Structure formats: structure tokens, C-alpha cells
Amino acid sequence: MSYQLYGIDPALIERVKFKLRNPAIKERLIMLLQSVTKADLQNRLKVTQLIGIASGILGENLTNFQANQILEFILSQKIDPSNTFHLIKLWTMFR
């Protein structure tokens, strides 16, 4: 898993995946990310804000170190939300 190369704890990923099975939480995250663009996902400040809001929605208290690991992971992936290939790549990474 490439997220593990960034030091992201697999237990955190499993907790988040479990919480996303709740339709209400999943819908809130979808609404949060609905208008996100590729430029937003390359902007450190915007991604930091999104991580903070998403962790609040999920009820996960992230340390600064964990948030920074997730930030570096997101920035390095160069995700384009309008590119289906990028979304499939992310989906396979976390399934």
C-alpha cells in the first residue's frame, strides 16, 4: 500500500473505512468534497482545511504529525477528481 510509505497507520485507514459505512457520515464527506478541484488538491492550505473538516466529520482526532503525513500523501498523488483513472487508482489503494 503506498499510503504506508508515507507512514500513515493502517489502523487509522481501517477505522475510517468502517466509519464510512455509515450513510450519514459518507454523505457529509461527499458534500464536502463535491466541489473540490485538482488545483484545490495541490494547495497545501486548502488540503489542510479539508483534512481538518473531514477528521471532525469522522470523529478522528489527528495529531499534527498524522495530519502532515496525510497532507504529504495527498499532495504527492496529484489527484484529479475529474479523472476516472485517478479515482480508480485511489479506490484500489484503499479497498
Side-chain angles (χ1 to χ4, degrees):
M1 293 293 163
S2 67
Y3 66 85
Q4 290 175 338
L5 297 176
Y6 290 86
I8 299 172
D9 184 19
L12 172 65
I13 299 299
E14 291 304 317
R15 284 195 312 270
V16 168
K17 286 169 45 176
F18 179 76
K19 290 177 181 182
L20 285 174
R21 291 183 186 137
N22 180 334
I25 291 175
K26 186 175 182 177
E27 188 60 35
R28 287 181 65 193
L29 280 176
I30 288 172
M31 288 176 23
L32 171 67
L33 299 173
Q34 191 170 15
S35 63
V36 172
T37 65
K38 181 178 181 177
D40 291 337
L41 293 176
Q42 291 301 302
N43 181 331
R44 282 187 171 277
L45 182 59
K46 180 71 174 182
V47 172
T48 302
Q49 291 172 342
L50 289 171
I51 291 170
I53 294 168
S55 68
I57 291 171
L58 292 166
E60 288 289 330
N61 294 322
L62 298 176
T63 65
N64 286 338
F65 183 70
Q66 288 173 318
N68 193 37
Q69 289 171 317
I70 294 169
L71 172 68
E72 292 302 322
F73 173 75
I74 292 170
L75 293 176
S76 70
Q77 297 302 307
K78 299 186 186 319
I79 302 164
D80 181 0
S82 61
N83 184 329
T84 305
F85 178 71
H86 287 197
L87 299 177
I88 291 171
K89 178 180 160 187
L90 284 172
W91 180 76
T92 58
M93 208 179 293
F94 293 102
R95 60 178 195 161

